[in-house]
Amino acid sequence: MLIKKEYLSQPQTENCTQNIFVKFLEYQTLSVDTKSLLLISRLRATLEWTDPDLAWNTSVYQFNEVILPVSKIWSPELHVTNGITTEMSHSSPDLLANSKGTVIHSVIINAQVICEVNLFNYPFASDKCPVAIQGWSRMGCGTNLVFGELKTVIASSGEWETGNATLERKRSDRNFILVPLSIKSTQPFITLVLPSILIVIADAVSFALPLGGGERNGFKVTLVLSFTMFLIILNDELPGDGECSPIIRFHFCCCLVILVVSMLWSMVMTRLFAEGRFGLFRQSKGPVSGNAGGGNAKEDEEVKAEVGVDVLGGVKEDGQILKKVVNFLEAIDGKTRESDRNQRFASKLDHIFFWFYLNSGIATLPTSNSVMVALTFSVLHRMF
């Protein structure tokens, strides 16, 4: 008899509204897409409403409750109004109706919600995301949801954890679930922050390598290229910007700048160590006048030739030979002293820069990590 009535529309009342009692509502976070800032959630609701047209006389039909197919009578629809996709399904093809017209049914809602989580402190971020839920209504007509118990399924969703959600109300027809979310910071810290800190430490230790020979420069270039590839690989894994760009980007930028400055400094110091100047281009060797006090290439060649002639032919006297030899050795000794002076000067500058580099790294890296943990910004979530 009830099925043949085919009541497929909402029960009509004087005020054009129908109260739907959500006796039990269970919320569960399935996953959080950090890159796209999407919250994927699942809700299971037990609904109860009264349809007078489905009541019957127990003296005629001696049953207090019957099971009806959900496709043969009207049942309310729930929507997540701030979701980009919402799919409601019936948990069972049947529902329960009693003789007074009270109907009990359960539905399942899967929704994707744009959640503008504050990721400024990533990977130590935490925020709350609203999930708006309501029934159908148009111009004062429709369904009015009355909520009862809310249960949150506490579970980890990837790198995110869900806290105890609460029911909130913006106005009489605007209900939402406020979902606390927080990141499990251990894994992102180990895979993102720790490698960058270790690379900077390795770069600082590389100052122990000698300036001459090129080993230090090669090692520093390798570190810069490795860190650049590290950032390129992580580009798809880093969170989206949202309203506040994650400060971890600033951390990576500082690390990259530190590595590049250290590499360039090492190259300049290597040039100073070897040639005693900061020039960017190597000077070409050409003929030089022979009036320098310390001797030059032409004078050295003349000395060598004259010494050879003196030894073989005995043309010059011993005093002149000795004077030429002394001048030749003094010229070599002067170049050696100049080279030692340049190397000492380059080593001194390198030591000064090392301590500056070390103090800057000690000040910058812990500061950026402390800001990631302690400094917070509030994000105004879009309501519905």
Side-chain angles (χ1 to χ4, degrees), residues 131-174:
V131 179
I133 180 171
Q134 67 180 78
W136 177 88
S137 63
R138 290 291 186 277
M139 301 179 64
C141 292
T143 56
N144 179 39
L145 300 182
V146 180
F147 289 91
E149 179 186 359
L150 171 65
K151 178 184 177 182
T152 305
V153 178
I154 306 296
S156 298
S157 304
E159 63 179 8
W160 290 86
E161 288 181 330
T162 304
N164 289 316
T166 58
L167 274 171
E168 306 287 342
R169 170 172 288 194
K170 188 176 181 181
R171 64 185 197 212
S172 59
D173 60 339
R174 292 290 185 269

Side-chain angles (χ1 to χ4, degrees), residues 122 159 185-196 230 234 252:
Y122 185 88
E159 63 179 8
S185 58
T186 303
Q187 180 178 354
F189 180 82
I190 293 176
T191 57
L192 298 178
V193 180
L194 186 59
S196 61
F230 173 73
L234 290 180
F252 288 145

Side-chain angles (χ1 to χ4, degrees), residues 300-319:
D300 293 342
E301 292 177 359
E302 294 177 353
V303 171
K304 293 179 181 178
E306 293 179 359
V307 171
V309 173
D310 291 341
V311 172
L312 296 175
V315 178
K316 299 291 184 180
E317 296 182 357
D318 293 341

Side-chain angles (χ1 to χ4, degrees), residues 44-346:
R44 185 169 65 89
T46 301
L47 310 177
E48 180 180 311
W49 69 96
T50 300
D51 188 347
D53 295 327
L54 294 180
W56 68 86
N57 190 347
T58 55
S59 61
V60 179
Y61 301 98
Q62 298 178 359
F63 303 97
N64 291 323
E65 296 175 336
V66 295
I67 295 176
L68 300 175
V70 68
S71 60
K72 298 299 181 179
I73 67 170
W74 175 84
S75 60
E77 290 187 0
L78 302 184
H79 303 277
V80 177
T81 55
N82 64 335
I84 57 175
T85 60
T86 303
E87 179 183 350
M88 192 194 85
S89 60
H90 302 282
S91 59
S92 172
D94 300 315
L95 48 75
L96 181 65
N98 64 23
S99 59
K100 295 181 180 180
T102 301
V103 183
I104 300 175
H105 185 48
S106 296
V107 296
I108 297 174
I109 304 173
N110 293 299
Q112 293 185 3
V113 179
I114 297 178
C115 185
E116 297 178 352
V117 180
N118 183 4
L119 294 174
F120 178 79
N121 302 92
Y122 185 88
F124 305 98
S126 62
D127 203 353
K128 294 183 178 180
C129 185
V131 179
I133 180 171
Q134 67 180 78
W136 177 88
S137 63
R138 290 291 186 277
M139 301 179 64
C141 292
T143 56
N144 179 39
L145 300 182
V146 180
F147 289 91
E149 179 186 359
L150 171 65
K151 178 184 177 182
T152 305
V153 178
I154 306 296
S156 298
S157 304
E159 63 179 8
W160 290 86
E161 288 181 330
T162 304
N164 289 316
T166 58
L167 274 171
E168 306 287 342
R169 170 172 288 194
K170 188 176 181 181
R171 64 185 197 212
S172 59
D173 60 339
R174 292 290 185 269
N175 303 283
F176 61 93
I177 303 171
L178 200 58
V179 183
L181 297 172
S182 60
I183 294 181
K184 296 181 290 184
S185 58
T186 303
Q187 180 178 354
F189 180 82
I190 293 176
T191 57
L192 298 178
V193 180
L194 186 59
S196 61
I197 295 176
L198 294 179
I199 289 177
V200 174
I201 292 176
D203 183 69
V205 175
S206 69
F207 279 92
L209 296 175
L211 280 174
E215 293 87 355
R216 183 199 287 190
N217 291 341
F219 183 75
K220 287 183 177 292
V221 170
T222 302
L223 288 180
V224 172
L225 294 178
S226 300
F227 190 72
T228 303
M229 291 300 300
F230 173 73
L231 294 182
I232 293 174
I233 294 172
L234 290 180
N235 185 52
D236 294 334
E237 302 298 329
L238 292 177
D241 286 340
E243 292 189 14
C244 294
S245 181
I247 196 173
I248 194 173
R249 298 178 186 273
F250 173 76
H251 168 81
F252 288 145
C253 181
C254 290
C255 292
L256 184 59
V257 170
I258 289 174
L259 292 175
V260 172
V261 170
S262 174
M263 178 189 67
L264 296 178
W265 175 267
S266 181
M267 291 179 177
V268 173
M269 287 298 100
T270 301
R271 183 67 177 274
L272 180 63
F273 184 87
E275 301 183 9
R277 57 192 179 89
F278 293 100
L280 296 179
F281 304 99
R282 182 183 297 273
Q283 295 180 354
S284 59
K285 295 183 179 180
V288 184
S289 59
N291 56 357
N296 48 43
K298 184 176 180 180
E299 183 179 352
D300 293 342
E301 292 177 359
E302 294 177 353
V303 171
K304 293 179 181 178
E306 293 179 359
V307 171
V309 173
D310 291 341
V311 172
L312 296 175
V315 178
K316 299 291 184 180
E317 296 182 357
D318 293 341
Q320 292 178 339
I321 296 175
L322 182 60
K323 182 178 179 180
K324 294 293 185 180
V325 173
V326 169
N327 290 337
F328 176 72
L329 295 177
E330 286 180 350
I332 296 177
D333 185 62
K335 291 181 178 180
T336 303
R337 287 197 302 269
E338 183 181 1
S339 176
D340 292 340
R341 184 168 58 252
N342 293 335
Q343 292 179 5
R344 288 194 299 269
F345 180 66

